[in-house]
Amino acid sequence: MKIIGSKWKIPILWYLMLKDGQHYNELKRTIGGITNTMLTKSLRELEADGLVSRHDYATVPPSVSYHLTDMGKKFIGTMGELFDWGREHMTFEKEQN
Amino acid sequence: MKIIGSKWKIPILWYLMLKDGQHYNELKRTIGGITNTMLTKSLRELEADGLVSRHDYATVPPSVSYHLTDMGKKFIGTMGELFDWGREHMTFEKEQN
DNA sequence: CGGTATCCTTCTTGATACTG
DNA sequence: CAGTATCAAGAAGGATACCG
Protein backbone atom coordinates (compact mmCIF):
# COMPACT_ATOMS: atom_id res chain seq x y z
CA MET A 1 0.00 0.00 0.00
CA LYS A 2 2.83 2.36 0.84
CA ILE A 3 4.19 1.86 -2.66
CA ILE A 4 1.08 1.71 -4.78
CA GLY A 5 -0.79 4.37 -2.84
CA SER A 6 1.62 7.15 -3.58
CA LYS A 7 1.33 9.27 -6.65
CA TRP A 8 4.80 8.99 -8.14
CA LYS A 9 6.41 5.72 -7.08
CA ILE A 10 4.91 3.61 -9.83
CA PRO A 11 5.89 6.10 -12.56
CA ILE A 12 9.41 6.20 -11.12
CA LEU A 13 9.73 2.40 -11.13
CA TRP A 14 8.15 2.25 -14.56
CA TYR A 15 10.60 4.64 -16.16
CA LEU A 16 13.52 3.01 -14.41
CA MET A 17 12.35 -0.27 -15.89
CA LEU A 18 12.26 1.27 -19.36
CA LYS A 19 15.71 2.71 -18.82
CA ASP A 20 17.69 1.64 -15.80
CA GLY A 21 20.42 3.77 -14.29
CA GLN A 22 18.88 7.13 -15.08
CA HIS A 23 20.26 10.15 -13.30
CA TYR A 24 18.22 12.45 -11.09
CA ASN A 25 17.39 15.16 -13.61
CA GLU A 26 17.08 12.69 -16.45
CA LEU A 27 14.47 10.78 -14.48
CA LYS A 28 12.76 14.03 -13.62
CA ARG A 29 12.48 14.88 -17.31
CA THR A 30 11.30 11.46 -18.44
CA ILE A 31 8.61 11.34 -15.76
CA GLY A 32 7.48 14.89 -16.35
CA GLY A 33 5.47 17.01 -13.93
CA ILE A 34 7.19 15.80 -10.78
CA THR A 35 8.76 18.31 -8.40
CA ASN A 36 12.17 17.98 -6.75
CA THR A 37 10.50 17.55 -3.40
CA MET A 38 8.45 14.57 -4.50
CA LEU A 39 11.14 12.96 -6.63
CA THR A 40 13.67 13.07 -3.82
CA LYS A 41 11.18 11.92 -1.21
CA SER A 42 9.89 9.06 -3.33
CA LEU A 43 13.37 7.90 -4.30
CA ARG A 44 14.50 7.93 -0.68
CA GLU A 45 11.52 5.81 0.35
CA LEU A 46 11.94 3.38 -2.52
CA GLU A 47 15.56 3.06 -1.54
CA ALA A 48 14.65 2.45 2.10
CA ASP A 49 12.24 -0.27 0.98
CA GLY A 50 14.90 -1.86 -1.17
CA LEU A 51 13.26 -1.37 -4.57
CA VAL A 52 15.77 1.12 -5.90
CA SER A 53 19.50 1.57 -5.39
CA ARG A 54 21.37 4.82 -5.57
CA HIS A 55 24.82 5.02 -7.05
CA ASP A 56 26.69 8.18 -6.20
CA TYR A 57 29.81 8.79 -8.29
CA ALA A 58 31.11 11.35 -5.78
CA THR A 59 32.31 13.73 -8.44
CA VAL A 60 32.14 17.49 -8.83
CA PRO A 61 29.66 18.39 -10.21
CA PRO A 62 27.63 15.60 -8.59
CA SER A 63 26.50 12.60 -10.59
CA VAL A 64 24.06 10.06 -9.21
CA SER A 65 22.30 7.21 -10.96
CA TYR A 66 19.31 5.20 -9.84
CA HIS A 67 18.77 1.50 -10.50
CA LEU A 68 16.07 -1.04 -9.87
CA THR A 69 17.08 -3.76 -7.44
CA ASP A 70 16.01 -7.34 -8.14
CA MET A 71 13.16 -6.76 -5.75
CA GLY A 72 12.17 -3.61 -7.61
CA LYS A 73 12.22 -5.45 -10.93
CA LYS A 74 10.04 -8.19 -9.50
CA PHE A 75 7.62 -5.65 -8.14
CA ILE A 76 7.15 -3.65 -11.30
CA GLY A 77 6.87 -6.89 -13.24
CA THR A 78 4.14 -8.04 -10.89
CA MET A 79 2.23 -4.86 -11.57
CA GLY A 80 2.00 -5.91 -15.21
CA GLU A 81 -1.12 -8.01 -14.73
CA LEU A 82 -2.79 -5.11 -13.00
CA PHE A 83 -1.82 -2.71 -15.78
CA ASP A 84 -3.46 -5.11 -18.23
CA TRP A 85 -6.62 -5.08 -16.16
CA GLY A 86 -6.55 -1.30 -16.13
CA ARG A 87 -5.99 -1.09 -19.86
CA GLU A 88 -8.98 -3.32 -20.48
CA HIS A 89 -11.39 -1.67 -18.12
CA MET A 90 -10.52 1.92 -17.62
CA THR A 91 -12.64 4.59 -19.15
CA PHE A 92 -11.30 8.04 -19.72
CA GLU A 93 -13.13 10.56 -17.70
CA LYS A 94 -13.49 14.13 -18.77
CA GLU A 95 -10.84 16.31 -17.21
CA GLN A 96 -11.96 19.70 -16.03
CA ASN A 97 -9.56 22.62 -16.28
CA MET B 1 -4.84 4.11 -9.08
CA LYS B 2 -8.22 5.37 -7.92
CA ILE B 3 -8.97 1.90 -6.62
CA ILE B 4 -5.67 0.77 -5.20
CA GLY B 5 -4.70 4.15 -3.81
CA SER B 6 -7.60 4.42 -1.42
CA LYS B 7 -7.43 3.04 2.09
CA TRP B 8 -10.54 0.85 2.19
CA LYS B 9 -11.43 -0.32 -1.31
CA ILE B 10 -9.16 -3.33 -1.36
CA PRO B 11 -10.36 -4.54 2.06
CA ILE B 12 -13.95 -4.12 0.89
CA LEU B 13 -13.36 -6.13 -2.26
CA TRP B 14 -11.37 -8.69 -0.32
CA TYR B 15 -14.09 -9.35 2.24
CA LEU B 16 -16.74 -9.43 -0.46
CA MET B 17 -14.65 -12.06 -2.21
CA LEU B 18 -14.52 -14.13 0.96
CA LYS B 19 -18.26 -13.75 1.40
CA ASP B 20 -20.27 -12.26 -1.39
CA GLY B 21 -23.60 -10.55 -0.83
CA GLN B 22 -22.81 -9.10 2.58
CA HIS B 23 -25.06 -6.41 3.93
CA TYR B 24 -23.90 -2.92 4.90
CA ASN B 25 -23.45 -3.44 8.62
CA GLU B 26 -22.21 -6.98 8.18
CA LEU B 27 -19.49 -5.72 5.87
CA LYS B 28 -18.72 -2.94 8.31
CA ARG B 29 -18.19 -5.50 11.06
CA THR B 30 -16.10 -7.91 9.01
CA ILE B 31 -13.82 -5.14 7.79
CA GLY B 32 -13.47 -3.53 11.21
CA GLY B 33 -12.34 0.01 11.91
CA ILE B 34 -14.08 1.61 8.95
CA THR B 35 -16.48 4.49 9.52
CA ASN B 36 -19.91 4.89 7.90
CA THR B 37 -18.60 7.83 5.93
CA MET B 38 -15.80 5.87 4.34
CA LEU B 39 -17.74 2.67 3.83
CA THR B 40 -20.55 4.47 2.03
CA LYS B 41 -18.19 6.62 0.00
CA SER B 42 -16.03 3.68 -1.05
CA LEU B 43 -18.99 1.49 -1.94
CA ARG B 44 -20.54 4.23 -4.06
CA GLU B 45 -17.30 4.70 -5.97
CA LEU B 46 -16.78 0.98 -6.46
CA GLU B 47 -20.33 0.80 -7.74
CA ALA B 48 -19.77 3.71 -10.11
CA ASP B 49 -16.66 1.96 -11.43
CA GLY B 50 -18.57 -1.26 -11.93
CA LEU B 51 -16.69 -3.45 -9.46
CA VAL B 52 -19.53 -3.86 -7.00
CA SER B 53 -23.27 -4.06 -7.40
CA ARG B 54 -25.84 -2.98 -4.83
CA HIS B 55 -29.03 -4.90 -4.33
CA ASP B 56 -31.70 -3.00 -2.43
CA TYR B 57 -34.59 -5.15 -1.20
CA ALA B 58 -36.75 -2.06 -0.62
CA THR B 59 -38.14 -3.33 2.64
CA VAL B 60 -38.81 -1.69 6.02
CA PRO B 61 -36.46 -1.81 7.82
CA PRO B 62 -34.02 -1.43 4.90
CA SER B 63 -32.03 -4.36 3.64
CA VAL B 64 -29.21 -3.95 1.11
CA SER B 65 -26.63 -6.44 -0.05
CA TYR B 66 -23.41 -5.85 -1.93
CA HIS B 67 -21.95 -8.16 -4.56
CA LEU B 68 -18.80 -8.34 -6.64
CA THR B 69 -19.44 -7.95 -10.34
CA ASP B 70 -17.47 -10.10 -12.78
CA MET B 71 -15.17 -7.15 -13.25
CA GLY B 72 -14.75 -6.86 -9.48
CA LYS B 73 -13.91 -10.55 -9.19
CA LYS B 74 -11.34 -10.27 -11.95
CA PHE B 75 -9.79 -7.26 -10.29
CA ILE B 76 -9.39 -8.75 -6.84
CA GLY B 77 -8.11 -11.95 -8.43
CA THR B 78 -5.51 -9.93 -10.30
CA MET B 79 -4.34 -8.42 -7.04
CA GLY B 80 -3.38 -11.91 -5.89
CA GLU B 81 0.07 -11.82 -7.45
CA LEU B 82 0.73 -8.49 -5.78
CA PHE B 83 -0.41 -9.80 -2.41
CA ASP B 84 2.07 -12.65 -2.81
CA TRP B 85 4.82 -10.16 -3.51
CA GLY B 86 3.85 -8.22 -0.41
CA ARG B 87 3.76 -11.31 1.74
CA GLU B 88 7.26 -12.25 0.61
CA HIS B 89 8.86 -8.89 1.00
CA MET B 90 7.12 -6.81 3.57
CA THR B 91 8.73 -6.19 6.89
CA PHE B 92 6.75 -5.16 9.90
CA GLU B 93 7.72 -1.77 11.07
CA LYS B 94 7.44 -0.64 14.63
CA GLU B 95 4.26 1.28 15.23
CA GLN B 96 4.57 4.31 17.44
CA ASN B 97 1.69 5.17 19.82
C1' DC C 1 -30.95 -1.06 9.03
C1' DG C 2 -28.55 1.63 6.10
C1' DG C 3 -27.33 5.33 5.55
C1' DT C 4 -26.47 11.51 5.57
C1' DA C 5 -24.68 15.84 7.22
C1' DT C 6 -21.28 18.51 9.22
C1' DC C 7 -17.08 19.63 10.93
C1' DC C 8 -12.30 18.74 11.89
C1' DT C 9 -7.62 16.81 11.60
C1' DT C 10 -3.88 14.89 9.28
C1' DC C 11 -1.37 13.40 5.55
C1' DT C 12 0.20 14.21 0.88
C1' DT C 13 1.58 17.01 -2.64
C1' DG C 14 3.06 21.32 -4.71
C1' DA C 15 5.47 26.04 -5.32
C1' DT C 16 9.26 28.62 -4.78
C1' DA C 17 13.68 29.75 -3.57
C1' DC C 18 18.23 28.48 -2.49
C1' DT C 19 22.93 25.64 -2.12
C1' DG C 20 27.64 22.88 -2.24
C1' DC D 1 23.91 18.41 -10.99
C1' DA D 2 21.46 16.86 -7.41
C1' DG D 3 19.49 18.03 -4.26
C1' DT D 4 17.31 21.01 0.73
C1' DA D 5 14.38 24.23 3.18
C1' DT D 6 10.21 26.38 3.96
C1' DC D 7 5.64 27.25 3.48
C1' DA D 8 1.08 26.74 1.44
C1' DA D 9 -2.68 24.18 -0.62
C1' DG D 10 -5.50 20.26 -1.24
C1' DA D 11 -7.21 15.79 -0.62
C1' DA D 12 -8.21 12.03 2.19
C1' DG D 13 -9.89 10.22 6.13
C1' DG D 14 -12.15 10.37 10.85
C1' DA D 15 -15.62 11.81 14.77
C1' DT D 16 -19.93 12.61 15.97
C1' DA D 17 -24.64 13.24 15.54
C1' DC D 18 -28.77 12.53 13.34
C1' DC D 19 -32.64 10.47 10.05
C1' DG D 20 -36.52 7.72 7.40
Side-chain angles (χ1 to χ4, degrees):
Chain A
M1 289 305 303
K2 219 169 74 184
I3 303 165
I4 65 185
S6 96
K7 184 168 177 181
W8 296 106
K9 286 180 188 175
I10 291 177
I12 290 171
L13 295 171
W14 180 258
Y15 287 107
L16 279 181
M17 186 186 63
L18 294 185
K19 185 178 179 215
D20 203 41
Q22 293 188 61
H23 287 226
Y24 185 90
N25 281 316
E26 182 185 7
L27 196 48
K28 191 179 169 186
R29 274 189 305 274
T30 58
I31 293 171
I34 190 170
T35 58
N36 283 338
T37 322
M38 287 312 298
L39 180 53
T40 301
K41 186 167 174 287
S42 303
L43 282 170
R44 294 283 178 272
E45 290 173 10
L46 287 168
E47 217 193 326
D49 286 335
L51 303 198
V52 158
S53 69
R54 177 176 184 276
H55 184 6
D56 188 337
Y57 296 87
T59 56
V60 178
S63 179
V64 176
S65 64
Y66 289 92
H67 304 257
L68 290 180
T69 61
D70 287 350
M71 202 169 135
K73 284 175 195 161
K74 251 184 105 187
F75 174 83
I76 194 70
T78 300
M79 293 295 297
E81 221 190 300
L82 209 56
F83 293 156
D84 293 342
W85 183 93
R87 230 171 277 122
E88 281 175 44
H89 297 287
M90 81 180 163
T91 54
F92 293 92
E93 286 147 31
K94 203 186 300 179
E95 304 247 358
Q96 309 290 32
N97 295 325
Chain B
M1 289 304 302
K2 220 171 69 185
I3 302 165
I4 65 185
S6 96
K7 185 168 175 182
W8 295 106
K9 286 180 186 173
I10 290 177
I12 290 171
L13 295 170
W14 179 259
Y15 285 108
L16 278 180
M17 186 186 62
L18 294 183
K19 185 178 178 213
D20 203 40
Q22 293 189 62
H23 286 227
Y24 184 90
N25 280 315
E26 182 185 6
L27 195 50
K28 191 179 168 187
R29 274 189 304 276
T30 59
I31 293 171
I34 190 172
T35 58
N36 283 337
T37 322
M38 287 313 296
L39 180 53
T40 301
K41 185 166 175 288
S42 303
L43 282 170
R44 295 281 178 274
E45 290 174 10
L46 288 168
E47 218 194 323
D49 286 336
L51 302 198
V52 158
S53 68
R54 178 177 184 275
H55 184 6
D56 189 337
Y57 296 88
T59 56
V60 178
S63 180
V64 177
S65 64
Y66 289 93
H67 304 257
L68 290 180
T69 62
D70 286 352
M71 201 171 137
K73 283 174 197 163
K74 249 184 108 189
F75 173 82
I76 193 70
T78 300
M79 293 294 297
E81 221 189 300
L82 208 56
F83 292 156
D84 292 342
W85 184 91
R87 229 171 278 123
E88 280 176 45
H89 296 287
M90 82 182 160
T91 53
F92 294 93
E93 286 148 30
K94 204 186 298 178
E95 305 246 356
Q96 308 290 32
N97 296 325

